[in-house]
Amino acid sequence: MRRIHKLTITEQTAAHVREGIRSGRWRGELPGVLRLAQLCDVSKDSMRGALRMLEAEGMISAGHAGTRRIVLGKGVAAGNRPLRVAIFPHDPLMIESREMHDLLHDVRRELLAAGHSAEFTPKTQSELHHDLRRIAKLVAGTPADAWIVGPAPRETLEFFAAQSVPVITIGGRCMEVTIASVYTDTAPAYREVLRQLFAFGHHRIVLLCPRSWRQPAPGVTLKACLEELAAHEIAATEFNVPDYEPTALGLNSLLESLFSVTPPTALIVVNPEEATAVYVFLARHGLAVPRDVSLFFPWRDVSMRLCHPPVAHLLVDGRLHVRRIVRWASAVARGRPDRSAIGIPATLELGQSLGPRPQTRSKRSRQVP
């Protein structure tokens, strides 16, 4: 579990002054250090540190005789308005994938540097159980000029698309809804993985993916996978794309069932939090990678980065996602929001976890006891 960063007194003071500037409490020049320290009930040293932080952000600049002049932050040109941006992740940040965790924090940092305010919502989509009534209550109680929504099911995106407040979403079912979005175009990479597996002789391929990929209908990436299977004369069944409860018991029960009779020779595991559980299951039953089972973990969790052999996974330049979101926010600040869907290509890092289909198996590896 990642450590929670606790704000220092200086950081809290900087946040208070920053909000005061954005709300219009102070205009032109800030009061002196002593007066600000009194107003915020902090020491002069804490206030000086806070002002240095705001200077580094470009929100204020040194004036004459020790005064500090309020300026527009970097990227907020004349005619633009600073936005209050609400960030609505799919999962709590402590259990988000490392890539999404870093992406959301990078977005927030860039928005703050651009002169906007950006805060995470007190509850995430999963904590609200994707209940549209609870989501609507959260939105109604959150003062925001714009929303950034993490990967979400179609129903959630349709709700946000119908709101008057501009919204941009990151991935999810964004291709099925008219909404501003940035997503990782993974379909070509998944097709490439399947072709590699077919070239190695695999046919018993299992794709472990969240229900949101399958319901109410297959999403873009799953459609690409099903088409690739069909192109190699495999009619996908419940074996290839199983339904299971996304819990420790549900995943383990599924794996026990899959490997009990005619086991798969290749696994594609979409959710990074399930990767370690799959590895532990295989090790517990004496199944080696890629000797007995080939593995593809698209979103390799940080715990997988030291695994040997290296696991096949996707590579994405997250900076392109950040740039798209910040530019969208700038357009919203100018009163010209867009609803374009921008895809960022993913590339395949093969690693060493894909190998030939096992020709013969020992009794132990053929059937899980």
Side-chain angles (χ1 to χ4, degrees):
M1 183 179 293
R2 298 181 183 89
R3 295 179 62 185
I4 298 174
H5 173 64
K6 295 181 180 179
L7 295 180
T8 65
I9 294 296
T10 298
E11 290 172 327
Q12 294 179 53
T13 304
H16 182 78
V17 177
R18 187 187 298 116
E19 184 59 32
I21 292 173
R22 288 176 178 150
S23 66
R25 180 180 181 183
W26 297 299
R27 300 178 184 275
E29 287 187 351
L30 285 173
V33 172
L34 179 59
R35 178 57 178 157
L36 282 173
Q38 292 171 341
L39 290 172
C40 297
D41 194 24
V42 297
S43 69
K44 290 186 291 184
D45 287 342
S46 294
M47 181 55 66
R48 289 192 183 98
L51 295 177
R52 284 194 294 269
M53 291 178 63
L54 297 179
E55 285 183 20
E57 293 176 9
M59 178 163 280
I60 62 176
S61 65
H64 63 279
T67 62
R68 286 172 173 82
R69 184 170 58 87
I70 298 172
V71 298
L72 291 173
K74 180 182 70 174
V76 181
N80 292 3
R81 61 187 176 99
L83 301 174
R84 297 168 299 172
V85 182
I87 304 174
F88 188 31
H90 183 272
D91 291 308
L93 292 179
M94 65 180 66
I95 64 171
E96 279 279 19
S97 69
R98 180 61 180 268
E99 287 78 8
M100 183 58 66
H101 175 278
D102 291 347
L103 171 62
L104 293 176
H105 277 285
D106 288 345
V107 166
R108 181 176 181 272
R109 183 172 58 251
E110 290 296 322
L111 290 173
L112 291 176
H116 307 296
S117 64
E119 300 298 336
F120 293 102
T121 54
K123 294 287 186 179
T124 66
Q125 299 174 46
S126 62
E127 289 174 320
L128 296 178
H129 303 289
H130 303 285
D131 186 325
L132 292 184
R133 290 175 298 179
R134 298 179 69 183
I135 292 174
K137 184 177 179 180
L138 173 72
V139 171
T142 304
D145 305 305
W147 281 78
I148 298 171
V149 178
R154 178 171 178 165
E155 294 77 9
T156 300
L157 297 183
E158 288 176 337
F159 166 81
F160 276 100
Q163 305 304 305
S164 59
V165 179
V167 178
I168 188 168
T169 183
I170 306 171
R173 290 281 190 142
C174 63
M175 295 296 291
E176 302 172 12
V177 180
T178 303
I179 193 171
S181 63
V182 58
Y183 65 95
T184 303
D185 186 8
T186 58
Y190 274 81
R191 287 183 181 273
E192 185 178 349
V193 167
L194 287 170
R195 289 167 187 163
Q196 289 279 346
L197 292 172
F198 288 127
F200 278 132
H202 293 273
H203 287 85
R204 296 198 301 276
I205 302 170
V206 172
L207 174 63
L208 302 183
C209 61
R211 283 176 175 161
S212 60
W213 277 43
R214 297 176 266 113
Q215 299 174 0
V220 173
T221 301
L222 181 54
K223 281 182 182 178
C225 292
L226 297 177
E227 290 170 0
E228 201 61 41
L229 290 172
H232 290 80
E233 300 182 346
I234 296 178
T237 66
E238 182 77 9
F239 173 82
N240 304 105
V241 189
D243 184 49
Y244 61 99
E245 290 297 323
T247 62
L249 180 60
L251 177 60
N252 189 73
S253 297
L254 171 67
L255 293 172
E256 293 283 357
S257 174
L258 287 173
F259 283 87
S260 63
V261 182
T262 307
T265 60
L267 292 175
I268 298 174
V269 185
V270 174
N271 279 336
E273 59 268 26
E274 296 178 354
T276 301
V278 169
Y279 242 125
V280 170
F281 176 90
L282 296 177
R284 191 169 70 240
H285 294 289
L287 300 172
V289 177
R291 184 196 69 196
D292 300 309
V293 183
S294 289
L295 288 181
F296 173 49
F297 295 157
W299 308 116
R300 183 181 59 170
D301 188 77
V302 64
S303 63
M304 295 283 104
R305 296 187 181 185
L306 295 180
C307 284
H308 186 79
V311 181
H313 62 281
L314 298 181
L315 295 175
V316 184
D317 188 349
R319 295 172 299 179
L320 300 179
H321 293 74
V322 175
R323 187 182 307 165
R324 157 62 174 154
I325 295 170
V326 173
R327 288 179 175 174
W328 172 85
S330 179
V332 172
R334 296 194 304 271
R336 297 200 296 269
D338 71 77
R339 288 199 167 192
S340 301
I342 305 297
I344 307 299
T347 57
L348 175 62
E349 179 69 28
L350 281 174
Q352 298 174 24
S353 63
L354 305 182
R357 174 180 61 86
Q359 297 301 315
T360 59
R361 292 187 169 208
S362 65
K363 184 177 181 181
R364 179 180 65 175
S365 64
R366 186 182 306 114
Q367 186 172 357
V368 170

